Every structure is written in C-alpha cells, then in structure tokens.
Amino acid sequence: MSASILILDDEPDIRELLEVTLHRMALSTRSAGTLTEAIAILQTQKFDLCLTDMRLPDGDGFNLIDYIRANLPTLPVAVITAHGNTEMAIRALKAGAFDFVSKPVNLNKLRDLVTSALSLTRDNSFLSSAQSNAQNITGQSLAAIKLREQISSLARTQAPVFITGESGSGKELAARAIHAQSSRRNGPFVAVNCGAIPAELMESELFGHLKGSFTSADKDKKGLFQTAEGGSLFLDEVADLPLSMQVKLLRVIQEKSVRPVGSHEEVPTNIRVISASHKNLQREIELNNFRQDLYYRINVIELLVPPLRERTEDIEELSRHILRKIAKENRMETPSLTPQALKALIAYHFPGNIRELENILQRAAALSANRMIAPEDLDIPGVSSYKNDANPTGAKRNIMTATQIEFSEDFSLARYLEDIERTNITAALQQTRWNKTAAAKKLGMSFRSLRYRLKKLGLE
C-alpha cells in the first residue's frame, strides 16, 4: 500500500504541481485549501506526511503544526515558505516542523524531503538499533533520561541542532544518537573537529576542490559536506572556525549547496548540520569572534549535555560500561571496581567529565592487580596512597609486580608496554589540559619525542 500525503495550500496551481510530483513517486494524495478543511480530513483519515503552506485563508501553517503536535505527534509536517523567508522557516522548525521547502518549489529538493520524511513513518526496522544507540547515553539519572528523550524528539526533525556542554561531556555521542534515530540513519555520519583543521586547508576540507585549483591539488577532492551527502555532518568546536569561514558556512547552510575551491558551479547538498562547542557562543558573539547570523542558523534547536557531576548516580553504570569496552579492546578479562574505588569516583568532581572518567579507568585497568581496581589505582586527587606489607612507605603504585601480570595465550609484551605508555601520556595530557609542551615536560621527554609517540600510539 502506497504512502498517503495530505497537501494544504490555498493556491490550486501549487496543489496540482505537488500532486503530480507525488503521484509520479507512486504516492497517494489528498488536498485541502483551508486549515479547517485540513483538520477535518485529519480527523477521519490517516496520513504518512503533511505538506502545508504557511499562509492560509483561515490561519497559518503554525496552527496546523500545533494541532498535529497535540493530536498526531508521530506525523511529520513539512512547510512551504515564501522564497527568502528564512526567519519563517526557522520559526517553523522550532515549532516542530520536520523540514521546509521554499517557493518556487524545487522538485528535486521536494522529493528528497518526502523520501526522508516517509522513512520515519514507514520503516520500523531501525527501531531496535536506534534504541540500542540511544542506550549509549548510559545512566538512569533524571538528567540522562531527559537527554535521551530530547534526542528522540530531535531525531524526528531536520532542524539544525547546536549541542552545548563542557569538554568531555559526550556531545559527539549525543550527535551520533540523533543521527542513528533520524530518517538519515542509513546515510553517513561525518564528524569534524573545526579546531583541528589548519586555516589554509579549511575551505578545501569542508567544500572540496578541483584539480589544479592550487599548487598541491593534483586531483579532484570531495569536501566533507559532499562526503556527508544524505546523512549528517557534525561540526565539533564550531566556535573555532575563523570568521572568513563562518561567512562561507552560512551561505552553504542557507543555499544548501557548496562551491568547491576552483569551481564556478555550486553543487547541491542534502545533509543535516549538527554542531557543538564547549564555548558560550553568545559570549563569542559579544567578543566579535562569532557571527550572530550564523549562530541563528546553526542554533535552531539547542541541546544541553549535562556535566558528569550532575549525573553522579550514573557513575557506577558508566564505569561498568567503560570497563567492558576497555576489556574488549584489549582482549582481557573485564576489570572490576572495589567498593572503595567506586566511592572515590562518585566523590570526585570530574572537571574533564566522561572523557576524564574513561582516561582514569583506562589507566587503572592497565595498572591494577588481579583485575580489581582499588582507590589508589585511580590516581585522582583526594585518594590516599596505597599501603600494605609489600609497600610500607605508602608510595603510589606505578606498575604491576611480576607476580601480578597475567600471561594469557595471546599476551604481547610490546602491546602491554604500549598500553602503559598510552595510559601515562593520556594522563599527562589530561593533567596539563591537553597542553603538549607542558605534558612533554611532565613526562620527561622532548616535545618532538612526544609528538612521535602520539602518532605511533594513535593518540593524535
């Protein structure tokens, strides 16, 4: 049975154009010219999508969005806006619209929108995987439950999302969960750290380039916007974009097309932009470091990821999840926390949030005895030094003794030593707030040597 779409527009020519286009997609349609007529139809017939104009004789598109949200919350609504009326489109997205298309209607964009919207209502095969992905937001605290609910809600729209939260709180994980539950779940999820791309390469990395467009351009290259076609592009630390790139990003989001370096033609894009930053963008705007118009385009809907200190009741479950992951990656028995170690973690304030918890447990798992992590293995402030008969001075343990190492069948000394090196380098970087020069000094090595080890260990 074909999907059914309700079309609401007071212009007969527009209704006819939409009907013909949708019929060619093997979809059935029903049309209405007024808000009253549309609501009456919705009360008697089931639809998979609603397309509505914003200006109606007896109301507007917002009235229909409000009615559907209250009475048919699973029905996607897409709005048709006047050309160039960006403010109206953003208001509609904030109100709960799935997406929008501007007049004169671009039929290719309309087809993409309809296909994407129908995948939300017609294909239920993704639910188990989407729910599983949502469970990656681990924890049963009120903050974690609220976050999962917000993610599920945001996944039902195409609106740009801005994720805010402290460093290490799990912003990328939230972005991946939104993508996995959305109509774009079968498309790529492309993540890029805007602060990690050299300024001179940024335009080429984001938008691509043509062969010969600059000295080292020996072949055509797709940019990240084109790589994410049909999926989601996650712009992490978007506040680190230089102002010159912010102008170009704004145009790409507005026009839904990119112009590769060296090209005179624009390439249409069909992606959802999700961005994030630990910085306060309002403050960055006041300091003239971030464009206000871009802020309004990427921050249609804001999602706050809470810091770990506001989710202390989740620490036990998070720790178990992380330790299982560490064990799987290192092909070892899953370590356990002693009650005292768990108590120490719960009491700690975690300035580095979940990322810091992962680093602490990674280090502790490598250095703990008999796969039991004690408080002194955690190496966090406020935990007393380890004491026993074999260590009467109370010195902190840095390595396992010979009798504590488990020589399994696949034991590798090189891998074991690499794990210890990786753990200590990560700890030094964490303690110096990721300042490589200070970390190298703390580790007793040159900056050049640290860079070599970061590359060798895959920590860059």
Side-chain angles (χ1 to χ4, degrees), residues 325-352:
K325 180 182 174 184
I326 291 171
K328 184 177 180 180
E329 290 174 349
N330 294 279
R331 294 181 293 175
M332 64 188 230
E333 182 184 344
T334 304
S336 299
L337 291 165
T338 65
Q340 295 80 7
L342 177 60
K343 185 177 180 181
L345 287 175
I346 292 173
Y348 185 50
H349 64 290
F350 285 104

Side-chain angles (χ1 to χ4, degrees), residues 105-126:
V105 177
N106 182 309
L107 297 184
N108 287 329
K109 290 183 178 179
L110 175 66
R111 293 187 192 98
D112 288 339
L113 182 156
V114 170
T115 300
S116 184
L118 291 180
S119 70
L120 279 177
T121 54
R122 298 176 67 189
D123 179 13
N124 295 319
S125 62
F126 80 101

Side-chain angles (χ1 to χ4, degrees), residues 344-403:
L345 287 175
I346 292 173
Y348 185 50
H349 64 290
F350 285 104
N353 293 293
I354 296 175
R355 184 184 296 131
E356 184 178 10
L357 175 61
E358 291 176 339
N359 291 340
I360 287 171
L361 293 177
Q362 182 84 47
R363 178 174 62 248
L367 303 180
S368 62
N370 303 319
R371 298 289 175 254
M372 287 298 295
I373 297 175
E376 56 274 6
D377 297 315
L378 299 173
D379 193 25
I380 56 178
V383 177
S384 60
S385 299
Y386 176 72
K387 286 186 178 184
N388 67 5
D389 293 339
N391 187 10
T393 63
K396 193 178 294 179
R397 291 181 298 176
N398 292 317
I399 58 172
M400 291 161 130
T401 66
T403 57

Side-chain angles (χ1 to χ4, degrees), residues 125-393:
S125 62
F126 80 101
L127 285 175
S128 59
S129 62
Q131 289 166 351
S132 174
N133 187 282
Q135 293 308 310
N136 287 337
I137 309 296
T138 305
Q140 298 305 316
S141 66
L142 290 177
I145 293 170
K146 181 181 177 182
L147 181 60
R148 285 196 293 268
E149 290 174 348
Q150 289 176 318
I151 286 171
S152 296
S153 176
L154 293 177
R156 298 193 61 81
T157 174
Q158 297 289 291
V161 177
F162 176 65
I163 304 175
T164 183
E166 297 177 7
S167 292
S169 57
K171 295 188 290 295
E172 182 173 341
L173 186 62
R176 289 183 181 275
I178 292 171
H179 171 78
Q181 296 182 66
S182 75
S183 60
R184 296 180 176 273
R185 60 193 170 274
N186 294 323
F189 177 89
V190 178
V192 55
N193 188 320
C194 297
I197 305 175
E200 62 273 15
L201 299 178
M202 192 166 287
E203 186 173 2
S204 171
E205 286 295 314
L206 291 178
F207 310 137
H209 65 250
L210 299 184
K211 180 180 178 180
S213 55
F214 50 87
T215 304
S216 59
D218 54 356
K219 60 182 179 181
D220 291 354
K221 177 187 175 182
K222 282 186 176 182
L224 294 172
F225 273 83
Q226 291 168 281
T227 304
E229 181 68 19
S232 305
L233 178 63
F234 177 53
L235 300 174
D236 197 10
E237 298 304 342
V238 69
D240 291 340
L241 284 173
L243 287 169
S244 59
M245 280 305 303
Q246 291 178 29
V247 176
K248 294 174 180 177
L249 176 61
L250 175 64
R251 175 173 173 77
V252 169
I253 294 174
Q254 286 177 336
E255 303 300 326
K256 295 187 177 181
S257 60
V258 298
R259 180 179 294 174
V261 178
S263 174
H264 298 292
E265 297 180 358
E266 293 196 339
V267 180
T269 61
N270 173 27
I271 65 167
R272 182 183 193 177
V273 173
I274 304 174
S275 54
S277 178
H278 73 280
K279 295 181 179 179
N280 184 327
L281 287 193
Q282 290 282 14
R283 177 61 177 159
E284 293 300 304
I285 291 171
E286 293 172 3
L287 296 173
N288 295 319
N289 294 330
F290 202 82
R291 292 180 61 96
Q292 189 172 44
D293 47 5
L294 177 59
Y295 172 75
Y296 289 130
R297 290 313 306 266
I298 64 173
N299 190 22
V300 173
I301 303 175
E302 184 171 321
L303 176 67
L304 172 63
V305 178
L308 186 54
R309 62 181 173 274
E310 294 180 7
R311 304 173 49 190
T312 53
E313 56 265 61
D314 293 334
I315 288 177
E316 182 175 4
E317 187 177 345
L318 279 166
S319 298
R320 286 200 303 266
H321 174 78
I322 293 168
L323 289 172
R324 284 194 297 267
K325 180 182 174 184
I326 291 171
K328 184 177 180 180
E329 290 174 349
N330 294 279
R331 294 181 293 175
M332 64 188 230
E333 182 184 344
T334 304
S336 299
L337 291 165
T338 65
Q340 295 80 7
L342 177 60
K343 185 177 180 181
L345 287 175
I346 292 173
Y348 185 50
H349 64 290
F350 285 104
N353 293 293
I354 296 175
R355 184 184 296 131
E356 184 178 10
L357 175 61
E358 291 176 339
N359 291 340
I360 287 171
L361 293 177
Q362 182 84 47
R363 178 174 62 248
L367 303 180
S368 62
N370 303 319
R371 298 289 175 254
M372 287 298 295
I373 297 175
E376 56 274 6
D377 297 315
L378 299 173
D379 193 25
I380 56 178
V383 177
S384 60
S385 299
Y386 176 72
K387 286 186 178 184
N388 67 5
D389 293 339
N391 187 10
T393 63

